[in-house]
Amino acid sequence: MSLRSEEFERARRETVRYHEELYAAAELGDAGTWLAQPHPLLFDALELLPADRPLVAYDLGAGIGRHTIPMLRLLPPGSQVYAVDLLPSALDQLEQQVPAGTTTALHTRAVDLVDFELTAPADLVFAFSAIEHLPSAAAVRTLLQRIAAALNPGGVVALGIIADRFEIRGDGTRRPALLESELSIEAARELLGETFADLTVEQLHLRPADVREERDGESYTLAATLLTFLATA
């Protein structure tokens, strides 16, 4: 797929619309939304990090801070967190929720991940439901290579990738999902194995995932497979 094809641009507009509307209507911790709580993958990753020195962490696709806020609370004093998202409005909301008295510094970057360069050696790179919004497998490979190159010795990479996605209408019929990437679980696993071959894999799990959504007044189910990947350098 072309990086800026008409199909990609239509899917990107839908992604922006969906997230802007969600963040305007819901807050962190709201029951019944995926903002209700952090994914357990984050806590699995934090357990692998040293607790006796300041750390550098990245949250790619941070949104309004579902995982960034716990990082700020739980990383050792003096740490730094880089929160990266496409939407400046989401990062504005995130900045307003920084816990009072936190000793971890927050740096926000409003940028498309396809253009993002990690600017500091990383102890943790976390990305949940972000990789699949890149426009192609080649773009995913490039980002994963940048992550691998940025990891400190002993650094941790934790990824949640939602792939093999399709939509189920109210009448039970299926259609392709309106999302940027057609990344499959098989392709995701191949890219992870290729890019992180020198890392120790701590976790690689697959499970079905589905969520009720609405677009243009129509309610449907977005069904997919969630891949969680955790590895140490």
Side-chain angles (χ1 to χ4, degrees):
M1 181 190 298
S2 168
L3 289 181
R4 289 295 181 263
S5 69
E6 181 178 345
E7 181 182 0
F8 171 80
E9 294 294 349
R10 177 170 174 254
R12 174 52 60 85
R13 288 193 297 271
E14 169 59 17
T15 292
V16 170
R17 178 206 67 80
Y18 168 79
H19 285 89
E20 286 183 336
E21 290 186 3
L22 174 66
Y23 297 154
E27 298 180 352
L28 295 179
D30 280 0
T33 74
W34 51 262
L35 296 172
Q37 57 187 0
H39 193 275
L41 178 66
L42 175 64
F43 303 109
D44 293 342
L46 292 174
E47 287 181 358
L48 296 174
L49 295 171
D52 59 351
R53 62 176 176 85
L55 303 173
V56 174
Y58 283 84
D59 186 4
L60 307 183
I64 62 173
R66 178 188 178 194
H67 300 106
T68 314
I69 296 300
M71 286 184 190
L72 295 175
R73 290 195 177 110
L74 298 173
L75 286 172
S79 295
Q80 299 184 68
V81 173
Y82 292 82
V84 182
D85 200 86
L86 180 68
L87 301 179
S89 59
L91 296 175
D92 288 343
Q93 284 183 254
L94 168 56
E95 289 174 343
Q96 295 168 18
Q97 299 182 81
V98 174
T102 183
T103 61
T104 293
L106 173 66
H107 311 276
T108 57
R109 300 285 187 272
V111 62
D112 192 326
L113 287 179
V114 77
D115 301 314
F116 183 66
E117 299 275 357
L118 289 79
T119 55
D123 297 294
L124 170 64
V125 179
F126 185 89
F128 195 91
S129 190
I131 299 297
E132 63 269 22
H133 292 292
L134 294 171
S136 66
V140 172
R141 180 182 290 107
T142 296
L143 178 61
L144 296 181
Q145 289 171 341
R146 290 171 180 167
I147 291 171
L151 284 177
N152 277 326
V156 176
V157 57
L159 307 174
I161 302 174
I162 301 175
D164 290 344
R165 295 160 298 172
F166 58 92
E167 297 176 359
I168 306 174
R169 299 183 177 93
D171 63 5
T173 58
R174 297 185 179 190
R175 65 186 176 204
L178 181 57
L179 291 163
E180 292 96 326
S181 170
E182 296 180 353
L183 188 68
S184 68
I185 288 295
E186 181 179 356
R189 293 187 67 166
E190 182 176 339
L191 286 168
L192 292 171
E194 168 191 312
T195 310
F196 300 120
D198 294 334
L199 274 60
T200 299
V201 176
E202 309 286 348
Q203 178 186 137
L204 200 164
H205 294 158
L206 302 175
R207 71 170 181 81
D210 61 73
V211 61
R212 293 293 295 173
E213 302 289 4
E214 185 172 314
R215 183 174 63 243
D216 298 329
E218 178 193 10
S219 181
Y220 63 94
T221 297
L222 177 62
T225 298
L226 170 62
L227 183 157
T228 55
F229 175 83
L230 181 62
T232 52

